[in-house]
Amino acid sequence: MAEPARRLQPIDTTAEIETPEHVRFHYPVAGPARRVVAWVLDWLIRGAILVVFAIFALMGGLAVGDAISDLSVGLLLVIHFLLEWTYYTLWEIAWNGRTPGKRALDLRVVSVHGHPLRIGDSFLRNLLRAADFLPLGYAIGLVVMARDGRFRRLGDMVAGTMVIVEERRAVATTLRIDPPPTPKELSSLPQRLPLSGDELEAIELFLRRKNGLGPAREEELAAMVAPIFASRMGIRNKDSARLLALIHARASERRRPL
Amino acid sequence: MKSQDEIVAARQVDWRELETIVSRAEALHHLDGPSISRAAALYRSLSGDLVLCRARCTPDLVAYLDNLAGRAHSALYGAEPFRIPAFWSLLTRDFPRTLRKNASFFALSSALFLIPCAIGIVLALFVPDAASQILPRSMLDGMADMYSKGFDEGRGEGADSAMAGFYVRNNVGIAFRCFATGIFFGLGSVFYLIYNGLNIGMVTGWVTAAGFGRNIGTFMCGHGPFELTAIVVAGAAGLRMGYSLVITRGRTRLGSLRESAPDIVRLVVGAAVMLLIAAGIEGFWSPSGAPPPVKWTVAALFSLLVTAYFLFAGRERGRAR
């Protein structure tokens, strides 16, 4: 499947999806660390199921007077085999590409084109675990994953799937300048700002990220650009971060009447 | 032109509503009708917002919307549900057809499995110590001991169901490993087919040499037609997979692999169903107390059934050769 070379994509762990409605959106692709944790969770769950059955078998055996009969050993082995080969596929079909472990880590299996997982593909990708696991501990799978831009292991490549992150995010908060700009402060700025759209956008992005930065880092970042803008506007730069906030306030005030 | 804060203020209620609906179920078809149509409408308007915001808003908002669109998309287009008619037509039509289409891989897989198996039997029977040089002596003795009793009274209740459970798990593992390792350009399938063929042949030969050939034959003939054939089919699927990686006919390796995937899925699912049947037979029929002649007759019927199924199932009427 030739990837369309429309334009250069930034080097990033996201996959772009175009839906039948021609909506494009981006999924972050799940890296090995997250997937290993999900696998460990699933492994523990499978182990727990087996232990529960073993306890039942033991209690049943004790009731009959036999510590643990061969019959229950046979049954346990069959359950073990069912868990080994069908656990993932059953969950992925029931939960639309998720197992309990994947759900806990907000992972989902989708096709490389972003379509939902199909049964046959789920079966294939999980059978191929036998190859990814070799020689032990998913060594081959991890090496293959590390070499692929979408972190696909062999099973994903055969089945045409990838694992994406669907972590819930918070909606961006509204921008507040604290304390609000006074008319005196604003009057020191020119009516028409000599700044490009990109520069204004960069300032807005900085102001939105401000609360996540430490005060020192905030000052450091603001001090990189504020003097340039100040000299362009011919004003004195006293407080870099404050100046950027004022520029943003002026820009959005100019935009509003339109 | 609206600023980002204004867009958020105007649209946030809808986004929140979509988020609540999407979080309520893994797939939308689990929900009631009004919620589904509401979610679809919200998703469409979200698509518009996404285009607008990508041009005008900061990356954190775009990331939020991307994420919401992705989750809504997954919920709207849920995973393909399991449908019995589709599965049935796979078994009655598509699997045997695909197998006939890939007859050369099936033949190669059979050869890779059966020839080492025959060599194993001959070596174990006629070359003293050949088997015990290759396989652990304790295991061979255990096998011989297991088949020394025969099945005249059936296996003791549960006495050997542990063994049956072990073999079901073991043999399914063998079959799927024969398939999965085909991803290494087919070499893994070749290795596992030869290795397991030789292994099974040696054990059979050893038990026969110990004088219990009748017992092991009677035991294995019941599930053998399904189990051994399934291993060969799984191996054939692995070889098909490896072949598509080597002979790409002008495509990328990955593209060639993906193109052969539908065939591979059909073969492997077919093999899995055969293994399931084999497991049932191995658990209940093979160790039962039925007299050996009855078992042989049933085995012959099973073999005929499998052969006829492979040859004739899913052929269109009038076109059958």
Side-chain angles (χ1 to χ4, degrees):
Chain A
M1 78 203 69
E3 298 292 331
R6 282 191 297 262
R7 54 172 192 221
L8 283 176
Q9 290 285 340
I11 298 175
D12 206 353
T13 53
T14 59
E16 189 181 77
I17 307 299
E18 185 163 352
T19 69
E21 303 91 351
H22 296 291
V23 179
R24 279 190 290 120
F25 54 85
H26 297 83
Y27 276 129
V29 182
R34 222 172 229 271
R35 292 175 64 175
V36 166
V37 177
W39 181 86
V40 170
L41 275 181
D42 280 326
W43 183 79
L44 289 174
I45 291 170
R46 284 188 294 160
I49 295 173
L50 209 55
V51 167
V52 168
F53 272 104
I55 290 171
F56 274 123
L58 191 64
M59 290 198 308
L62 286 176
V64 183
D66 187 359
I68 185 160
S69 69
D70 285 336
L71 188 68
S72 12
V73 172
L75 203 64
L76 281 178
L77 284 166
V78 169
I79 291 168
H80 184 192
F81 131 80
L82 284 176
L83 286 172
E84 200 172 348
W85 296 105
T86 63
Y87 172 88
Y88 289 97
T89 301
L90 289 180
W91 279 117
E92 283 175 2
I93 293 312
W95 274 2
N96 192 8
R98 293 182 147 181
T99 62
K102 290 196 179 75
R103 189 194 169 109
L105 281 124
D106 295 313
L107 301 179
R108 193 191 291 280
V109 186
V110 294
S111 89
V112 274
H113 304 294
H115 302 308
L117 183 64
R118 289 184 306 182
I119 296 177
D121 289 339
S122 171
F123 192 59
L124 265 190
R125 77 183 290 280
N126 288 312
L127 278 191
L128 262 289
R129 284 176 190 279
D132 275 312
F133 193 83
L134 294 173
L136 78 167
Y138 283 95
I140 288 183
L142 284 171
V143 170
V144 172
M145 238 190 233
R147 290 181 46 82
D148 183 68
R150 292 179 173 183
F151 295 130
R152 288 176 294 178
R153 58 176 177 82
L154 291 176
D156 288 319
M157 291 183 171
V158 176
T161 55
M162 63 179 176
V163 181
I164 51 141
V165 184
E166 278 193 352
E167 206 166 20
R168 298 182 64 164
R169 287 162 168 275
V171 64
T173 50
T174 45
L175 244 180
R176 254 190 223 97
I177 298 172
D178 192 39
T182 60
K184 183 170 164 281
E185 278 178 314
L186 281 175
S187 66
S188 66
L189 296 182
Q191 276 303 313
R192 295 188 64 84
L193 293 167
L195 269 73
S196 71
D198 280 351
E199 284 165 340
L200 288 173
E201 196 188 311
I203 292 175
E204 181 170 352
L205 190 53
F206 164 75
L207 293 173
R208 288 187 186 280
R209 285 182 59 206
K210 212 165 64 126
N211 296 338
L213 304 169
R217 182 74 179 141
E218 179 191 334
E219 188 54 37
E220 184 189 348
L221 285 173
M224 285 176 178
V225 288
I228 302 171
F229 296 145
S231 69
R232 205 187 286 172
M233 292 183 289
I235 57 173
R236 273 182 55 222
N237 173 32
K238 283 176 291 193
D239 179 351
S240 299
R242 184 74 188 161
L243 179 66
L244 294 181
L246 289 174
I247 291 176
H248 179 262
R250 165 56 49 83
S252 42
E253 141 191 292
R254 274 184 54 77
R255 198 158 40 178
R256 198 145 298 151
L258 289 176
Chain B
M1 206 160 91
K2 282 183 177 173
S3 76
Q4 171 164 341
D5 287 343
E6 284 160 339
I7 296 175
V8 172
R11 303 288 304 128
Q12 201 171 16
V13 182
D14 277 4
W15 297 341
R16 287 265 153 78
E17 189 184 352
L18 182 59
E19 206 166 348
T20 341
I21 298 179
V22 167
S23 316
R24 254 162 58 200
E26 278 301 325
L28 276 187
H29 58 80
H30 298 153
L31 294 177
D32 54 310
S35 302
I36 298 175
S37 46
R38 182 75 186 131
L42 289 169
Y43 171 69
R44 281 193 297 273
S45 62
L46 172 70
S47 324
D49 297 337
L50 191 55
V51 175
L52 182 75
C53 290
R54 194 166 288 137
R56 215 175 286 168
C57 298
T58 52
D60 55 340
L61 182 63
V62 176
Y64 167 76
L65 294 178
D66 260 336
N67 172 266
L68 185 55
R71 279 163 53 210
H73 179 263
S74 297
L76 271 172
Y77 301 88
E80 172 191 41
F82 177 79
R83 286 196 204 88
I84 291 179
F87 188 61
W88 181 246
S89 75
L90 172 82
L91 289 188
T92 54
R93 206 183 57 208
D94 299 335
F95 170 52
R97 273 186 192 171
T98 311
L99 195 68
R100 287 194 294 271
K101 198 171 116 196
N102 293 290
S104 46
F105 293 104
F106 183 71
L108 181 61
S109 178
S110 306
L112 285 171
F113 184 73
L114 294 177
I115 293 172
C117 188
I119 293 173
I121 294 179
V122 171
L123 276 180
L125 276 180
F126 301 109
V127 182
D129 297 336
S132 53
Q133 295 270 320
I134 294 173
L135 296 171
R137 183 65 189 248
S138 57
M139 174 203 155
L140 288 169
D141 285 340
M143 296 298 277
D145 186 49
M146 204 174 92
Y147 290 105
S148 61
K149 284 170 288 199
F151 298 93
D152 295 337
E153 279 106 58
R155 278 179 172 172
E157 58 185 57
D160 289 293
S161 66
M163 287 314 287
F166 173 77
Y167 280 106
V168 167
R169 181 167 167 262
N170 192 44
N171 295 341
V172 171
I174 286 176
F176 286 158
R177 223 159 276 130
C178 277
F179 159 67
T181 51
I183 189 70
F184 306 120
F185 302 97
L187 295 177
S189 297
V190 172
F191 170 77
Y192 274 108
L193 283 168
I194 294 177
Y195 171 81
N196 287 305
L198 200 61
N199 202 331
I200 291 174
M202 285 248 168
V203 170
T204 313
W206 177 269
V207 175
T208 309
F212 310 115
R214 195 179 128 113
N215 290 343
I216 194 174
T218 308
F219 177 71
M220 277 171 54
C221 71
H223 53 265
F226 290 97
E227 192 164 85
L228 300 182
T229 318
I231 292 177
V232 171
V233 171
L239 293 173
R240 174 84 184 81
M241 185 159 67
Y243 180 80
S244 75
L245 281 173
V246 178
I247 310 292
T248 58
R249 300 186 202 286
R251 292 179 191 80
T252 60
R253 290 199 198 285
L254 205 56
S256 167
L257 181 65
R258 277 303 294 155
E259 201 192 34
S260 67
D263 271 13
I264 296 172
V265 171
R266 286 184 205 121
L267 291 177
V268 175
V269 172
V273 172
M274 291 182 74
L275 286 168
L276 215 62
I277 297 173
I281 298 173
E282 189 165 1
F284 298 107
W285 170 252
S286 298
S288 73
V294 176
K295 285 188 177 177
W296 299 335
T297 319
V298 170
L301 282 176
F302 280 159
S303 311
L304 264 176
L305 191 73
V306 171
T307 315
Y309 170 64
F310 281 176
L311 283 179
F312 302 115
R315 279 197 197 276
E316 279 171 34
R317 269 173 220 283
R319 280 191 54 220
R321 272 173 290 162

